[in-house]
Amino acid sequence: LLPLQLWPNPCRGQLTVYAGANRGSARLTITNLTGQVVLLQVAELSADGCLRVDVSDLNQGWYQAELETQGLHQRGKFVRLQ
């Protein structure tokens, strides 16, 4: 697993996920600290390798994000503030 860049961290409404040089379709899975999947999104990465995600519906707390692109897995953690 490679580290995943997430910003802003902590965040409130929108989280930007950076996939590096990867392009094309991506699957983003966000889980809470108990391992429960709270958000699952399949989308195309933008030209700059980013995926912008609305996390405003998530409760305040720590989360783990895992991005899968072309068989490559990246993982990172972020904090959602109220």
Side-chain angles (χ1 to χ4, degrees):
L1 287 174
L2 298 172
L4 184 61
Q5 294 181 35
L6 306 164
W7 70 85
N9 195 2
C11 66
R12 293 188 190 279
Q14 185 177 41
L15 180 70
T16 299
V17 179
Y18 179 64
N22 294 321
R23 299 293 181 270
S25 182
R27 176 184 169 118
L28 177 69
T29 305
I30 296 180
T31 56
N32 60 20
L33 287 181
T34 64
Q36 178 184 15
V37 175
V38 294
L39 191 143
L40 179 62
Q41 181 175 333
V42 177
E44 291 291 317
L45 294 169
S46 65
D48 60 2
C50 291
L51 181 63
R52 286 155 187 90
V53 183
D54 180 7
V55 294
S56 60
D57 288 339
L58 298 181
N59 293 327
Q60 180 174 323
W62 283 90
Y63 292 90
Q64 180 169 279
E66 184 171 341
L67 187 72
E68 182 180 351
T69 54
Q70 303 168 356
L72 179 67
H73 292 265
Q74 296 171 279
R75 188 177 291 164
K77 293 182 180 175
F78 69 95
V79 176
R80 161 75 168 94
L81 298 176
Q82 290 292 8

